[in-house]
Amino acid sequence: MQKKAFEAVVVHTGSPAIIECELIVVPVFKGETTETSFFAELDAATGGQIGQAMLRREFRPNGKDCFITPVTSDAWRARRVALVGVGSNDQMAWRPAAAKIVLTARSSRIRQVGFMVRGEVDGSSFAQAITEGMLFGSFDDRRYKTGDRSDDPHAEEISLNVLCGESTETSVAEGVRRGVAIGTSVNIARELSNEPPNLLTPTVFAERANTIVSAQGVEVEVLDEAAIEGLGMGMILGVAQGSVEPPRLVVMKHNPTDAANHPVLALVGKGVTFDTGGISIKPSADMDQMKHDMGGGAAVVGAMRAIGELQLPVRVIGIVPMVENMPGGKAIRPGDVLVSGCGKTVEVLNTDAEGRLILGDALWYARQLGATHLVDVATLTGSCVIALGKAASGLFGQPEDWVRTIERAANSGGERVWQLPLYDEYTDQLKSEIADLANIGGRAAGACTAAAFLRAFAEGVPWAHVDVAGTAWLEKSKPGAVKGATGVMVSTLTELASMSKEWSLESSSPEV
Ligand code: BES
Ligand code: MN
Ligand code: ZN
């Protein structure tokens, strides 16, 4: 586990002048006019540098620029000011802007940042977003690097002061509290997904999940191979049988005393600790990346942690089937038929389509446990990466109301989702000669046929599926984000649980 490298404090003050910190960050919204008394005050504090920068167009309110300059005024206690473009008044731009500035600050050995809440924004959401963004930008995963780091600025602790501006201290403090809970959980999910597959086996993943969420008061049950067998979940067992590592099914329950019996939200995450493809083995190039095939499971663990910490007043069950997909002597073969927990039979035509198998059983089990609303998150298909690239996660589901709700949650969480269709033709592609269903539907619309397979196990319960194959992993570092696991969907799932009042009354019968 990483050491605590971040501390957030809320400061209520009218003027940035009295804040003692190394860098004051002033967000500037796209298209904002800078001919105001506020910018004049900044200009005066920096000995005219800010005015000059605007005049020379070194800083433009275009949502992208960043300009840092020393404070010259004795009346100010801060050492430097940064103008940071944060796009238009758009949620999606807030987190990345904060992540970028924290990385810049760190490279200059700045350890104390003051961030202003200003502009036409909801103070609480803005404070939450910048806190999440700063935590995201502070993530530095060098657990397996030995060697001296005493000269590495990224190893230093950083503290954040959030200046309330026009917003009330209560609302900003609430935002910061949510931001810390979610941002920390996102980083924990990233840490889990970056874990090497020899160290994070299903057994270890289950133990880690248990430790992480129990600490926030979430109740945990870890089902071992015998228990999974006892419940008849033949698809989880089938995928696991090619590996010497036994499977686990982790069930996490957030059951607050003040929550109504209805709804019961179930979050289901794919937990393949390594995906070789099995007997339908994958090519070797980039196969190492398949250690993050448990990214959906890590997102569910992260979200359960945040939901527990925030004590959200709604019942939530987190379910993560954990397996390793290996081509061992006992592995399932193309042509094998598996009997799922719900009794449906599945012909395995490709052992590399394993995610849908374990998720099908997990979705069924979620319904057995009383789930009224389902969401699953999975690095499910290469086809989704072809369709949407790394720009958005694929979203599927029914009824439409429930899909719209997931979209709204993603929007508050600053994560992009894009809905893809679930036409009946995709289910037709899954016909098997000898079983109820085949586990693949041919090359055409691979992300959609995978989703159609899952739908068969959600039956009538409102269900959404988020394919994060393109978004759970960053191949190259970019400003504000280091390469590796992204922790995608921790934020969206937590927002979804936060907005339960909005969706609990929606009709729970799918349209036909
Ligand atoms: N884990 C993979 C999907 C994946 C691909 C995740 C790239 C992240 C990045 C999944 O289990 C898989 O192998 N899917 C196959 C399905 C096919 C055999 C029908 C795929 O997409 O090729
Ligand atoms: Mn696979
Ligand atoms: Zn997989």
Side-chain angles (χ1 to χ4, degrees):
M1 206 54 71
Q2 281 189 287
K3 72 174 170 23
K4 193 172 177 227
F6 188 86
E7 197 191 1
V9 182
V10 177
V11 185
H12 190 76
T13 169
S15 161
I18 63 158
I19 302 303
E20 188 170 333
C21 67
E22 292 169 87
L23 178 72
I24 288 208
V25 182
V26 178
V28 183
F29 299 93
K30 187 173 178 174
E32 186 178 2
T33 167
T34 47
E35 282 148 17
T36 60
S37 58
F38 174 74
F39 285 98
E41 196 192 326
L42 285 181
D43 187 42
T46 58
Q49 286 303 316
I50 287 199
Q52 279 290 316
M54 310 252 203
L55 213 62
R56 290 195 310 265
R57 296 169 55 77
E58 191 175 339
F59 181 87
R60 296 155 299 176
N62 63 358
K64 289 194 187 114
D65 290 357
C66 173
F67 177 73
I68 304 186
T69 190
V71 170
T72 53
S73 161
D74 291 339
W76 277 52
R77 297 169 72 185
R79 276 178 41 217
R80 281 176 267 200
V81 175
L83 298 185
V84 174
V86 291
S88 50
N89 195 352
D90 167 13
Q91 283 265 11
M92 290 295 166
W94 297 351
R95 288 166 182 84
K100 266 187 243 174
I101 191 70
V102 77
L103 271 169
T104 311
R106 271 174 169 260
S107 346
S108 329
R109 296 196 175 275
I110 288 169
R111 287 150 61 177
Q112 231 185 347
V113 177
F115 210 118
M116 290 192 72
V117 173
R118 61 175 298 276
E120 306 285 303
V121 298
D122 170 62
S124 185
S125 317
F126 189 73
Q128 178 188 331
I130 60 174
T131 307
E132 278 180 44
M134 296 263 295
L135 269 159
F136 193 90
S138 301
F139 181 75
D140 175 47
D141 196 351
R142 296 182 206 206
R143 289 165 299 160
Y144 297 109
K145 295 254 190 212
T146 63
D148 185 17
R149 295 196 65 193
S150 53
D151 204 34
D152 182 351
H154 295 279
E156 287 172 0
E157 266 187 36
I158 197 152
S159 74
L160 167 67
N161 293 304
V162 184
L163 284 65
C164 297
E166 310 284 292
S167 303
T168 66
E169 194 166 350
T170 346
S171 68
V172 171
E174 173 60 12
V176 169
R177 182 179 87 94
R178 291 174 54 86
V180 169
I182 297 171
T184 307
S185 302
V186 170
N187 285 347
I188 286 175
R190 293 167 81 187
E191 211 169 67
L192 285 169
S193 292
N194 281 348
E195 207 67 83
N198 61 327
L199 301 183
L200 195 91
T201 60
T203 311
V204 174
F205 188 14
E207 281 164 8
R208 291 275 290 271
N210 192 343
T211 311
I212 290 164
V213 306
S214 303
Q216 303 300 335
V218 174
E219 199 185 300
V220 182
E221 197 186 349
V222 177
L223 307 188
D224 63 8
E225 190 165 17
I228 296 168
E229 199 173 347
L231 288 158
M233 292 190 257
M235 297 199 291
I236 296 179
L237 291 174
V239 176
Q241 79 192 34
S243 170
V244 293
E245 295 294 340
R248 292 287 184 265
L249 184 68
V250 173
V251 181
M252 298 163 273
K253 288 184 181 156
H254 170 72
N255 243 338
T257 44
D258 55 345
N261 283 337
H262 180 102
V264 180
L265 173 64
L267 309 177
V268 177
K270 174 173 173 182
V272 176
T273 61
F274 195 72
D275 183 13
T276 64
I279 295 300
S280 316
I281 200 159
K282 288 182 181 295
S284 341
D286 293 331
M287 205 205 270
D288 59 287
Q289 282 181 18
M290 282 301 119
K291 69 175 186 178
H292 86 279
D293 211 15
M294 33 58 72
V300 168
V301 172
M304 291 307 293
R305 183 195 175 278
I307 290 165
E309 179 175 352
L310 294 171
Q311 301 180 352
L312 300 180
V314 56
R315 294 177 63 192
V316 188
I317 310 178
I319 301 189
V320 183
M322 300 171 179
V323 298
E324 186 182 46
N325 189 22
M326 293 286 270
K330 291 202 173 135
I332 45 169
R333 294 145 288 248
D336 282 3
V337 171
L338 302 175
V339 183
S340 66
C342 67
K344 287 193 168 102
T345 56
V346 174
E347 184 184 13
V348 178
L349 291 177
N350 188 318
T351 65
D352 198 11
E354 84 296 342
R356 63 197 76 183
L357 297 173
I358 66 170
L359 290 169
D361 271 344
L363 286 167
W364 165 76
Y365 194 55
R367 288 191 287 113
Q368 296 303 104
L369 296 178
T372 61
H373 294 75
L374 303 163
V375 187
D376 75 73
V377 180
T379 46
L380 204 64
T381 65
S383 158
C384 189
V385 191
I386 301 297
L388 301 174
K390 300 197 145 272
S393 305
L395 173 64
F396 301 83
Q398 65 180 37
E400 282 301 315
D401 277 358
W402 184 231
V403 178
R404 297 283 90 76
T405 303
I406 311 298
E407 280 176 346
R408 267 184 285 129
N411 199 48
S412 319
E415 299 184 309
R416 270 216 211 99
V417 292
W418 190 261
Q419 190 182 1
L420 295 170
L422 266 175
Y423 302 123
D424 289 339
E425 281 85 339
Y426 303 137
T427 304
D428 297 342
Q429 283 176 241
L430 295 168
K431 287 212 170 96
S432 157
E433 289 294 322
I434 66 164
D436 297 336
L437 280 168
N439 79 327
I440 53 168
R443 272 172 57 80
C448 303
T449 52
F453 181 93
L454 296 178
R455 174 170 61 180
F457 295 88
E459 302 211 344
V461 177
W463 154 82
H465 156 61
V466 188
D467 193 331
V468 294
T471 48
W473 190 260
L474 202 61
E475 267 145 59
K476 264 207 320 245
S477 293
K478 60 178 187 186
V482 290
K483 65 177 165 199
T486 61
V488 72
M489 290 298 130
V490 170
S491 172
T492 297
L493 295 178
T494 311
E495 291 297 330
L496 179 66
S498 299
M499 12 186 287
S500 64
K501 291 276 173 308
E502 281 179 42
W503 51 261
S504 57
L505 297 173
E506 277 169 14
S507 87
S508 47
S509 54
E511 69 260 38
V512 260

